[in-house]
Amino acid sequence: MENTLYNFIDNAGSFSSLQADKLKSLYLPLCNEKLMSSISADLHGDIKTGQNSFLMPPASRVDLAQSKYSRNFWVHIDKNNVWSAAGVSRNLKQIRADKFRLQAGMLWQKVERKNTALGLKSEILSFIPSGEQAVELMQVKLTNISRKKIVFTAYAAIPLYCRGANSLRDHRHVTSLLTRVNIKPDGILVKPTLLFDEAGHQPNYANYFVLGWDQAGSGAQYFYPSLEDFCGDSGDLESPQAVLENRLPQQKYIQGKEPMAALRFHRLNLNPGKSVTYIIVIGIHQGQPDLAALRNKFRTPLKVLNVFEETKAYWLKLSRSIGPETNDKNFDNWFRWVNIQPNLRRIFGCSFLPDFDYGKGGRGWRDLWQDCLGLILNDPLAVRADLVNNFCGVKIDGSNATIICKEGSGSSRFIADRNNLSRVWMDHGVWPLLTLNAYINETGDLGILFEKAAYFRNHEINRTRGIDKSWSKDCGSQLKTAAGKVYQGSILEHLLVQNLVQFLNVGSHNHLRLEGADWNDGLDMAALNGESVAFSAMYAYNLEQLSLLILKTGKKNILLAREIDILLSETNYRSITAKQKLLERYFAKTCICISGKYISVNAQVLADNLKAKSLSIKEHIRKDEWLKEGFFNGYYDNRKKRLEGKFGRLTKMTLTSQVFPIFAGIATREQTDKILRSVYKHLSDKTTGGLRLNTDFGKEQHDLGRAFSFAYGEKENGAIFSHMVVMFACALYKQSFAESAWKIMHSLYQMALDTSKSKIYPCLPEYFNRDGRGMYSYLTGSASWFVLTLLNEAFGLKGENGDLVIEPKLSAEQFSDVSKISIQRVFAGRQIRVNFFNPRRLKFGKYKIIRVLLDQQRLPVVSDKAKVVFTRELILALSASQLHTFDIHLG
């Protein structure tokens, strides 16, 4: 493991790099609840509030290196000495002469460039203040490092775009004609007249602005409001004529052009050793921005410093909400970044960072629940309303809306599909219960199961097998009863619909149909006959968990929609035809509306029904899908052929197919041992030490999915996919294979920190490619699962029906060089720290909990216990204003 890119410089996740400018694909996210930015070491990237409001042009990964659109700051000394303090200029010889250093931390970066030939040093600090203002701050400090006075003119240069992402290619020039510029003493405002959309134009209310002052609070002397006025006829942002020639603004007509925000400040004499600071405020505001308020808040370095410290404190608190202290300080710092990733995806969705150059904003269904999973561990009660609202995306046919967009009120708006495609992901019913169960365990709030929620409705019916031609948008997007009223069912009912429909939705091998794909989006060419054994295992797990939850509620009877009685019908579970006929009966009763009538089902009978269904799936997989090669088959393709196993000399194996039978408790201990050996034999990457998603199948699989048309080792075709690797570790922890689980978890950290190959800042990326390069940084559901697995499984701090359980599954390796490791978190509103002592460095399975102290007071504990339980009442009796320490002695 060789970290050649950066070094951590504190215990807050901050780092320093002397090489970041050499990797043009590197970027940091900057954001608050209102504004999203990406920024590279040379200030490339973009700034936006959403799909229809980009201040700078949308930037994909390749644009970070190829585009000339970047934040810049120019210094003109004379015609022979013009310097880009940001390092973006056609004068490459001059840039190479700069001495570069980057410092960055929780959503901020400071880039330092020193040019001894010119006698200048620049320090450019960039961040978005925490809070509600949609502004990015750029503070530029110039220092004279020579022995003589330097006279120069400074230019802030922010190239603007000021429109929606679709206009990047569609009507780029036409939409520039909508531009209206307003020059103020503080800076430049741009307000396009329309939101351009040939399907229906709308008035635009967004103002885009760039303001600037020097350290004395004085504004710029001159303004260049268009690209051609600043750059000249060459249009070259890397050698703008206005700067090179020290030329004043020329254009008389400034409206309807490609906008620019270039601010030229007063010429300045800077003595040796002295510094001057400039403050640039870049933002978007719906309506007219309050320039006086912005000026008063940001126009001096001291005010910027105060806001900067507040912002750092905000993100640091979030990053430390779950805080391990281990034998590896680099791991602890790296984990801080992983811990904020669920918050980043909550804000950015899956479309608004350079790696994520697809979609139109919003999050997918799977993302929605997995992000909640991470947030639940920090403040579960704050997530409750979102959880209830999310169930409004479930459809009565067991499928769901696939895209979720945040509305201004904070509630969610559901969309059938971002591209108007009729497609169902068969795994989508799995994730809501996993997330809700985590919430219930953290809080003990079983009452959430009986909260009411509507069902999503659109023109697609019967899991997209049919179209309701009578439906229109005027009908609304909620399921209605025969009487025309919006129907609401309990959260428990929604969960039953999702899982019972799928139990009946089987293919020719009596496994759940693959439909449009499962977790692996690349398995998208087997909609007719494909089957997912892997996720059949997870639905078996869910049915079992629902059975247990129903009994935990203590209810004698459960009220359900009358139509659900069809899904509960007793039948021959081995009969594919019988299952399919029941499903068709249910679809026929629910495709247009439902009766609105209820049935009361005995809770014990319902629980037994679900358990029997779960057992039938488990026994089927255990009996029929275990291969003599020592692993499970997980899929059948569109020709109804088994995917995995040995075919001549070729072994076909996927990691997903092993994860979920272990997770669901289908694999026996002996089978899990064999799976581990097979995984390391067939899926282990010898170069990086990571586990691949699948073996090389050697050819495309047009009867299964696009994934196998990707180059092997990339994305869903054999990459080291963080999400599935973490879930493999989680599954192993659940079955007490703790030493192997930690090795697998740790391998992801090692790959991320091996920056000679990964070439990324600290984070857990979506995957590592064949070269070991980290791809798709920050916005990945694997972060939530990594946090959950480390906290709940490795350290063993988890809720259980609202009580606090400590059940450590720590490996001997985690105690190398130390006898104590710790983790800090909030539980039931109480800040707790748990210290684990293992002076003999025993392996998991060789130790028990032998002594427990709470705030240095010894508690009674049964000897040789693997776990201890602290009642919620005991936790709530602790002071909410102080940190409480649990000491867990292992021996």
Side-chain angles (χ1 to χ4, degrees):
M1 187 170 70
E2 186 181 5
N3 187 356
T4 57
L5 178 58
Y6 63 83
N7 293 301
F8 288 113
I9 55 177
D10 56 23
N11 293 321
S14 306
F15 59 90
S16 175
S17 175
L18 303 178
Q19 303 294 325
D21 62 325
K22 305 296 191 296
L23 286 169
K24 299 301 183 184
S25 61
L26 277 175
Y27 60 88
L28 275 170
L30 306 178
C31 65
N32 60 21
E33 298 294 333
K34 299 294 185 182
L35 190 70
M36 302 169 285
S37 295
S38 58
I39 191 165
S40 69
D42 57 11
L43 310 192
H44 277 82
D46 58 24
I47 304 169
K48 62 271 172 181
T49 58
Q51 178 73 4
N52 294 316
S53 50
F54 278 78
L55 184 141
M56 294 175 66
S60 64
R61 170 184 278 251
V62 69
D63 293 321
L64 298 178
Q66 300 299 326
S67 174
K68 295 190 177 186
Y69 274 73
S70 69
R71 310 158 183 87
N72 213 332
F73 198 90
W74 294 91
V75 177
H76 180 279
I77 299 172
D78 56 44
K79 65 179 182 180
N80 298 315
N81 291 287
V82 177
W83 185 49
S84 167
V88 179
S89 165
R90 287 187 66 181
N91 190 342
L92 297 180
K93 181 178 179 181
Q94 186 186 72
I95 292 172
R96 293 187 186 111
D98 289 351
K99 187 176 181 181
F100 169 88
R101 181 177 182 236
L102 174 139
Q103 285 184 291
M106 289 296 157
L107 305 206
W108 60 270
Q109 80 167 25
K110 184 166 72 171
V111 175
E112 178 184 305
R113 288 184 173 273
K114 188 185 296 184
N115 191 300
T116 53
L118 293 174
L120 285 173
K121 179 179 80 171
S122 68
E123 297 168 84
I124 303 179
L125 172 68
S126 299
F127 68 98
I128 291 177
S130 58
E132 297 291 314
Q133 280 189 300
V135 297
E136 178 183 307
L137 300 186
M138 174 179 165
Q139 180 176 272
V140 183
K141 182 180 179 182
L142 300 176
T143 303
N144 184 344
I145 57 172
S146 73
R147 295 181 178 178
K148 60 182 182 181
K149 180 173 67 176
I150 299 176
V151 182
F152 64 85
T153 302
Y155 297 76
I158 311 298
L160 302 178
Y161 175 70
C162 304
R163 62 199 98 162
N166 292 341
S167 298
L168 193 61
R169 182 184 179 279
D170 186 13
H171 292 95
R172 175 70 185 260
H173 173 254
V174 169
T175 52
S176 73
L177 303 179
L178 305 174
T179 299
R180 297 296 183 271
V181 174
N182 193 355
I183 298 176
K184 299 285 188 179
D186 294 306
I188 292 174
L189 282 75
V190 177
K191 182 178 179 291
T193 52
L194 289 176
L195 292 174
F196 187 90
D197 184 350
E198 288 183 301
H201 308 303
Q202 298 292 327
N204 169 62
Y205 300 105
N207 275 274
Y208 304 82
F209 58 88
V210 177
L211 315 176
W213 311 276
D214 62 22
Q215 63 189 22
S218 299
Q221 187 178 16
Y222 298 102
F223 301 95
Y224 303 81
S226 73
L227 198 65
E228 55 186 88
D229 195 16
F230 184 62
C231 296
D233 290 336
S234 71
D236 192 346
L237 282 162
E238 294 181 354
S239 59
Q241 276 185 290
V243 177
L244 296 183
E245 299 173 9
N246 204 25
R247 192 188 67 188
L248 297 181
Q250 303 289 307
Q251 283 189 333
K252 191 179 296 184
Y253 304 107
I254 62 175
Q255 309 301 351
K257 301 179 182 297
E258 284 289 346
M260 180 77 199
L263 284 61
R264 171 175 159 159
F265 292 92
H266 293 268
R267 196 155 180 82
L268 183 74
N269 296 322
L270 192 61
N271 291 318
K274 297 297 182 180
S275 300
V276 62
T277 300
Y278 299 90
I279 297 154
I280 311 301
V281 178
I282 309 165
I284 305 172
H285 188 79
Q286 290 296 321
Q288 189 69 23
D290 188 339
L291 299 186
L294 290 165
R295 186 189 316 118
N296 291 335
K297 187 168 184 178
F298 298 122
R299 72 170 174 176
T300 69
L302 180 59
K303 290 180 177 181
V304 171
L305 177 62
N306 290 336
V307 175
F308 180 47
E309 293 299 328
E310 289 172 6
T311 301
K312 286 198 297 182
Y314 172 84
W315 287 104
L316 184 59
K317 182 179 179 181
L318 275 181
S319 75
R320 286 178 169 169
S321 60
I322 296 170
E325 292 182 25
T326 70
N327 60 340
D328 184 348
K329 299 309 175 191
N330 282 335
F331 175 84
D332 299 346
N333 270 310
W334 173 81
F335 181 81
R336 298 200 193 291
W337 286 91
V338 177
N339 195 34
I340 68 167
Q341 285 183 227
N343 283 283
L344 294 179
R345 193 160 70 167
R346 178 181 61 80
I347 292 170
F348 281 91
C350 295
S351 304
F352 291 129
L353 282 178
D355 278 322
F356 300 83
D357 52 355
Y358 53 85
K360 300 175 177 69
R363 287 180 287 171
W365 182 258
R366 198 182 300 126
D367 312 324
L368 187 74
W369 294 98
Q370 292 181 142
D371 294 349
C372 279
L373 194 64
L375 300 172
I376 281 167
L377 299 175
N378 294 319
D379 189 359
L381 293 177
V383 184
R384 190 183 197 275
D386 282 342
L387 288 174
V388 173
N389 184 68
N390 292 347
F391 277 98
C392 295
V394 175
K395 298 178 73 173
I396 199 67
D397 63 9
S399 67
N400 50 267
T402 64
I403 297 297
I404 298 86
C405 299
K406 277 289 184 187
E407 303 281 49
S409 62
S411 62
S412 295
R413 177 170 58 92
F414 298 98
I415 302 172
D417 185 86
R418 62 161 60 100
N419 297 313
N420 293 319
L421 300 176
S422 294
R423 184 177 177 189
V424 170
W425 282 260
M426 64 81 63
D427 69 302
H428 278 183
V430 165
W431 309 105
L433 179 57
L434 291 178
T435 302
L436 192 74
N437 216 2
Y439 167 83
I440 290 171
N441 277 324
E442 284 285 313
T443 62
D445 178 17
L446 287 161
I448 195 173
L449 290 167
F450 302 100
E451 293 283 354
K452 298 286 188 179
Y455 286 88
F456 182 67
R457 175 73 157 91
N458 69 337
H459 63 289
E460 297 165 332
I461 55 175
N462 305 344
R463 300 182 71 83
T464 73
R465 297 178 200 178
I467 298 295
D468 176 9
K469 294 181 179 179
S470 68
W471 183 91
S472 70
K473 289 185 178 179
D474 293 337
C475 298
S477 59
Q478 294 178 316
L479 177 70
K480 293 178 181 176
T481 67
K485 294 182 178 180
V486 172
Y487 174 77
Q488 290 194 321
S490 68
I491 299 300
L492 176 59
E493 181 185 282
H494 285 65
L495 291 166
L496 288 168
V497 167
Q498 288 184 299
N499 289 276
L500 288 169
V501 164
Q502 285 295 72
F503 176 75
L504 300 175
N505 187 23
V506 293
S508 60
H509 299 87
N510 205 11
H511 298 297
L512 275 59
R513 295 180 61 239
L514 182 57
E515 298 177 304
D518 65 6
W519 167 88
N520 188 335
D521 293 336
L523 306 184
D524 59 351
M525 298 171 72
L528 188 62
N529 296 312
E531 295 169 76
S532 175
V533 181
F535 275 91
S536 296
M538 280 307 291
Y539 280 101
Y541 176 84
N542 270 11
L543 288 165
E544 181 181 43
Q545 293 301 306
L546 279 169
S547 173
L548 294 171
L549 272 177
I550 286 165
L551 296 178
K552 283 179 186 177
T553 66
K555 302 272 188 182
K556 288 186 178 181
N557 296 290
I558 305 294
L559 206 62
L560 300 172
R562 184 171 71 181
E563 290 78 1
I564 293 175
D565 196 40
I566 300 171
L567 302 177
L568 294 170
S569 300
E570 296 290 344
T571 188
N572 180 2
Y573 295 154
R574 295 182 181 178
S575 172
I576 297 167
T577 302
K579 284 183 174 179
Q580 291 174 341
K581 284 183 177 178
L582 278 177
L583 187 58
E584 290 305 318
R585 267 185 61 201
Y586 176 76
F587 282 166
K589 290 285 187 180
T590 59
C591 60
I592 304 300
C593 62
I594 62 172
S595 66
K597 299 185 184 302
Y598 295 92
I599 56 170
S600 180
V601 183
N602 179 273
Q604 184 65 59
V605 171
L606 179 57
D608 291 345
N609 183 298
L610 297 171
K611 188 173 182 181
K613 287 176 165 59
S614 172
L615 283 172
S616 71
I617 298 175
K618 288 185 174 186
E619 289 168 0
H620 178 30
I621 294 173
R622 194 180 289 125
K623 176 178 178 290
D624 297 321
E625 299 304 333
W626 178 254
L627 306 175
K628 66 180 185 295
E629 289 85 0
F631 53 89
F632 283 101
N633 169 57
Y635 294 95
Y636 288 90
D637 68 16
N638 218 31
R639 295 178 302 154
K640 306 181 182 180
K641 300 292 186 182
R642 171 170 55 87
L643 177 68
E644 293 171 80
K646 190 154 187 178
F647 302 85
R649 295 183 178 181
L650 181 65
T651 297
K652 294 182 178 180
M653 180 184 182
T654 72
L655 185 60
T656 312
S657 303
Q658 318 317 314
V659 167
F660 295 114
I662 297 173
F663 192 103
I666 294 171
T668 65
R669 192 162 185 87
E670 181 184 0
Q671 286 174 328
T672 303
D673 269 323
K674 289 181 178 179
I675 288 170
L676 272 167
R677 288 197 291 273
S678 296
V679 164
Y680 280 113
K681 179 180 179 181
H682 299 297
L683 299 178
S684 180
D685 181 75
K686 303 301 183 287
T687 303
T688 64
L691 300 179
R692 294 195 175 281
L693 194 56
N694 54 272
T695 55
D696 188 350
F697 288 11
K699 61 180 181 179
E700 295 180 67
Q701 307 288 315
H702 291 169
D703 291 302
L704 188 57
R706 69 174 189 250
F708 304 97
S709 298
F710 298 151
Y712 183 67
E714 296 289 344
K715 222 163 175 12
E716 289 101 340
N717 187 18
I720 298 163
F721 226 90
S722 298
H723 193 174
M724 201 47 60
V725 172
V726 174
M727 291 207 74
F728 187 39
C730 186
L732 290 169
Y733 273 122
K734 284 182 177 296
Q735 307 308 327
S736 296
F737 285 78
E739 299 290 331
S740 296
W742 173 247
K743 180 181 178 182
I744 290 164
M745 286 270 286
H746 199 247
S747 70
L748 290 173
Y749 155 67
Q750 288 177 308
M751 284 186 287
L753 217 67
D754 186 1
T755 57
S756 62
K757 296 187 185 76
S758 70
K759 303 183 191 303
I760 53 174
Y761 289 145
C763 72
L764 183 61
E766 182 181 278
Y767 71 91
F768 297 89
N769 69 12
R770 200 164 191 170
D771 300 319
R773 188 166 195 151
M775 303 294 292
Y776 294 74
S777 292
Y778 305 111
L779 308 182
T780 163
S782 57
S784 287
W785 277 95
F786 194 99
V787 173
L788 175 112
T789 303
L790 184 76
L791 178 68
N792 286 180
E793 300 296 339
F795 281 92
L797 269 71
K798 53 192 169 187
E800 192 173 278
N801 304 320
D803 297 332
L804 174 65
V805 172
I806 300 179
E807 186 182 6
K809 295 177 183 176
L810 298 163
S811 73
E813 182 186 334
Q814 288 171 274
F815 290 95
S816 61
D817 305 324
V818 295
S819 61
K820 182 189 85 170
I821 62 175
S822 307
I823 194 163
Q824 195 164 309
R825 68 161 301 187
V826 174
F827 186 85
R830 305 301 185 265
Q831 188 75 36
I832 64 172
R833 175 189 176 92
V834 183
N835 301 317
F836 295 92
F837 297 87
N838 185 5
R840 294 164 59 195
R841 297 172 176 81
L842 298 172
K843 289 184 177 182
F844 173 75
K846 298 295 184 181
Y847 59 72
K848 300 288 184 183
I849 297 172
I850 58 173
R851 188 162 51 131
V852 178
L853 286 82
L854 170 55
D855 293 335
Q856 300 183 332
Q857 298 297 311
R858 186 164 183 169
L859 298 177
V861 59
V862 178
S863 181
D864 295 336
K865 289 201 70 172
K867 71 176 184 179
V868 288
V869 180
F870 302 93
T871 66
R872 195 167 190 84
E873 290 73 22
L874 185 149
I875 301 298
L876 290 173
L878 301 174
S879 169
S881 61
Q882 67 183 76
L883 175 67
H884 299 278
T885 303
F886 292 81
D887 291 328
I888 307 296
H889 293 263
L890 308 175

